[in-house]
Amino acid sequence: EVQLQASGGGLVQAGGSLRLACTVSGFTFADNSIGWFRQAPGKEREGLSCISKRDGSTYYADSVKGRFTISSDNAKNTVYLQMNSLKPEDTAVYYCAADGLCNAVTMNPTLYDYDYWGQGTLVTVSS
């Protein structure tokens, strides 16, 4: 059974940082991709970043490019999302998901749906 556990959310002031973690089990971690998404109240789900374990390539949405960094620890089957310079508009529930592909198309929820999803972790950025 594939399981993804997202953690690290919380309350932070604007300009602050958080690091989210996604721990994956029951999944061939080395051959696939992990993506981070978020959904704010009343808004569509947004693809933020992904990392391909197959070739190490990464993708960032324009909204987080330069502020968020995705990385992985293969030994721990964990992918991290370091979030810096947080803004109130970053407030959302953040989800990690697993799939075979990491690119601009698969990170667009209107075009593609990742196969496996974690339960989400809430990030609240106060002004």
Side-chain angles (χ1 to χ4, degrees), residues 6 9-10 12 16 18 20 34-50 59-70 81-97 106-110 112-114 116-125:
V12 64
L18 282 174
L20 305 183
I34 303 296
W36 283 100
F37 298 77
R38 70 185 178 190
Q39 189 162 20
K43 294 190 176 181
E44 298 290 327
R45 183 184 297 169
E46 177 185 11
L48 303 177
S49 180
C50 58
Y59 162 85
Y60 293 96
D62 288 343
S63 59
V64 303
K65 198 173 295 182
R67 299 189 299 126
F68 292 9
T69 303
I70 194 168
L81 186 68
Q82 178 67 43
M83 307 187 297
N84 298 329
S85 302
L86 284 163
K87 307 173 183 179
E89 51 263 44
D90 292 317
T91 295
V93 178
Y94 284 68
Y95 300 89
C96 60
T106 62
M107 290 301 293
N108 185 334
T110 64
Y112 190 85
D113 194 17
Y114 263 50
Y116 305 101
W117 291 82
Q119 87 289 357
T121 185
L122 177 63
V123 172
T124 303
V125 184

Side-chain angles (χ1 to χ4, degrees), residues 4-82:
L4 295 93
Q5 180 72 40
S7 61
L11 175 64
V12 64
Q13 288 188 332
S17 299
L18 282 174
R19 188 177 77 159
L20 305 183
C22 177
T23 302
V24 183
S25 61
F27 189 70
T28 309
F29 194 62
D31 295 333
N32 291 279
S33 301
I34 303 296
W36 283 100
F37 298 77
R38 70 185 178 190
Q39 189 162 20
K43 294 190 176 181
E44 298 290 327
R45 183 184 297 169
E46 177 185 11
L48 303 177
S49 180
C50 58
I51 184 166
S52 169
K53 298 308 296 173
R54 186 178 296 112
D55 60 14
S57 61
T58 58
Y59 162 85
Y60 293 96
D62 288 343
S63 59
V64 303
K65 198 173 295 182
R67 299 189 299 126
F68 292 9
T69 303
I70 194 168
S71 62
S72 67
D73 183 333
N74 291 346
K76 296 182 179 179
N77 278 3
T78 299
V79 171
Y80 301 98
L81 186 68
Q82 178 67 43

